[in-house]
Amino acid sequence: MRIARSPRVICSARRGTLGALLVCGLLWLLISPAHAFTPTHQLRVDGVDIEVDADDAAFPAGVDPLLAWIRRGLHSVAAYYDGYPVRSLRIQIVPQDGGGVHGGKTFGYRGAFIRVRVGRDVTDAQLMNDWVLVHEMIHVALPEIGEEHAWLAEGLAVYVEGIAREQSGNRTQQDIFAEEMRSMPRGLPQAGDRGLDHTHSWGRTYWGGAMFCLLADVAIHRQTGNRRGLQDALRAVAKASGGITSEWPITRVLAVGDAVTGTTVLADLYAQMKDAPVTPDLHALWTSLGVREANGTVTLTDAAPLAAVREAIMRPRGSKTPSSPP
């Protein structure tokens, strides 16, 4: 989950009353991501200085597994973006009852900051399979684009999380596409839909945004013969903007991405989907990519027309990529 870069709380205290000032102060403390933040651990990962607030006594296994989890997540995201866009990051780990990773929020106000809730009894296996922290770290790589475009911020984090982890060896293609086939239909427009910019349901925000990313990624690869993809576009945006601590209009994000790919895919797709419901044939798309599901099992085939596109999307940048006809 991503929070707007600047707190959107307006306090009116024209008369300077003590009550009004106290209310304003309380609201400020509640919304400030850095409130009561005292770093207890210092990490340096891929050139990023990370301050971590994690209480050793709160976790029976100690914080070493949590620090390894942070290192692994940052390394995956930094590799996807060819360098993390910020030089410093603050992470606050809030202990909760039980196990697992319970959720997180990312802030850009007063520097990149992630607050993540983790069960005291979290296991190494749960941390290894966790998506939450990578999702939040991806949010840091996109400038603030406004709440009406939350579908892009959340959709990118959903879409890139799987690819970044697959490229670093922490997830498989089959697992990624199985999740997409199961969950991405939730992002399709329903009755009354008015396009991505105007329909803010959970499904449209997270999976509708991820669907936009998938369609864009495939189109860029096809138009460039696999020489460019959405990953190139996102790297350019992260480097030019410096990530979440900047504010950009969405049109600038798309323009920078299109410029580096030499296409107009992002702008064209946004023009189609921002104000109107668009229902792509996801089943046909996955079939053309060589993704098949039978009896609950997802398999991949290299005999499909766009199998090379699928492989190029998943392959870490810098390795040899085959060309594919549009």
Side-chain angles (χ1 to χ4, degrees):
M1 179 182 292
R2 189 170 141 129
I3 306 298
R5 190 174 73 89
S6 300
R8 285 175 168 78
V9 175
I10 299 174
C11 292
S12 177
R14 292 181 182 177
R15 297 181 184 274
T17 63
L18 178 61
L21 292 173
L22 287 173
V23 169
C24 288
L26 178 59
L27 286 172
W28 184 263
L29 289 175
L30 289 174
I31 63 176
S32 173
H35 176 53
F37 181 89
T38 304
T40 55
H41 303 273
Q42 305 282 339
L43 302 175
R44 185 169 177 82
V45 183
D46 291 333
V48 181
D49 292 316
I50 308 174
E51 296 181 349
V52 183
D53 176 19
D55 183 1
D56 296 70
F59 297 91
V63 299
D64 284 348
L66 299 173
L67 299 180
W69 167 59
I70 291 170
R71 290 189 187 96
R72 182 170 57 248
L74 196 285
H75 181 70
S76 295
V77 179
Y80 181 89
Y81 283 94
D82 191 28
Y84 209 51
V86 299
R87 295 295 89 195
S88 62
L89 174 66
R90 295 171 297 152
I91 298 177
Q92 183 181 48
I93 299 177
V94 181
Q96 307 272 284
D97 291 338
V101 181
H102 297 187
K105 294 181 180 179
T106 298
F107 305 80
Y109 173 67
R110 292 198 291 183
F113 176 89
I114 294 172
R115 178 181 290 139
V116 61
R117 295 174 288 111
V118 180
R120 294 179 178 85
D121 299 317
V122 66
T123 65
D124 288 344
Q126 288 171 334
L127 292 174
M128 183 65 69
N129 294 322
D130 170 62
W131 60 267
V132 172
L133 185 62
V134 171
H135 180 104
E136 299 303 326
M137 287 178 169
I138 291 166
H139 278 322
V140 174
L142 185 71
E144 171 58 38
I145 53 175
E147 294 177 3
E148 66 272 31
H149 308 305
W151 61 267
L152 181 59
E154 296 296 347
L156 275 175
V158 170
Y159 181 74
V160 171
E161 172 264 320
I163 298 174
R165 288 176 59 199
E166 196 272 347
Q167 290 181 352
S168 65
N170 185 236
R171 203 172 173 191
T172 66
Q173 285 191 42
Q174 287 89 341
D175 181 49
I176 294 167
F177 283 109
E179 182 185 32
E180 286 188 0
M181 295 182 84
R182 180 177 63 252
S183 298
M184 194 169 284
R186 301 175 184 176
L188 292 170
Q190 304 298 314
D193 189 280
R194 297 185 297 120
L196 288 171
D197 276 356
H198 312 288
T199 307
H200 304 301
S201 65
W202 177 88
R204 286 292 268 163
T205 298
Y206 285 81
W207 286 104
M211 180 173 63
F212 175 95
C213 295
L214 173 63
L215 294 171
D217 211 355
V218 170
I220 294 169
H221 275 275
R222 294 186 70 184
Q223 289 189 24
T224 65
N226 281 335
R227 291 184 297 276
R228 292 287 185 268
L230 183 62
Q231 186 169 2
D232 298 286
L234 297 179
R235 285 180 171 185
V237 170
K239 284 180 171 58
S241 67
I244 195 172
T245 56
S246 299
E247 291 189 37
W248 279 23
I250 191 173
T251 51
R252 185 178 180 185
V253 171
L254 304 179
V256 168
D258 279 338
V260 78
T261 63
T263 72
T264 59
V265 166
L266 294 173
D268 292 345
L269 193 60
Y270 177 59
Q272 295 171 29
M273 301 183 73
K274 65 175 181 174
D275 298 319
V278 174
T279 305
D281 189 338
L282 292 176
H283 179 75
L285 176 60
W286 286 316
T287 299
S288 69
L289 291 170
V291 183
R292 298 175 180 175
E293 187 274 334
N295 300 320
T297 300
V298 171
T299 58
L300 306 176
T301 175
D302 292 337
L306 299 182
V309 169
R310 185 195 75 238
E311 287 295 325
I313 288 172
M314 295 295 175
R315 183 177 293 107
R317 305 303 291 174
S319 60
K320 186 176 180 181
T321 305
S323 61
S324 176

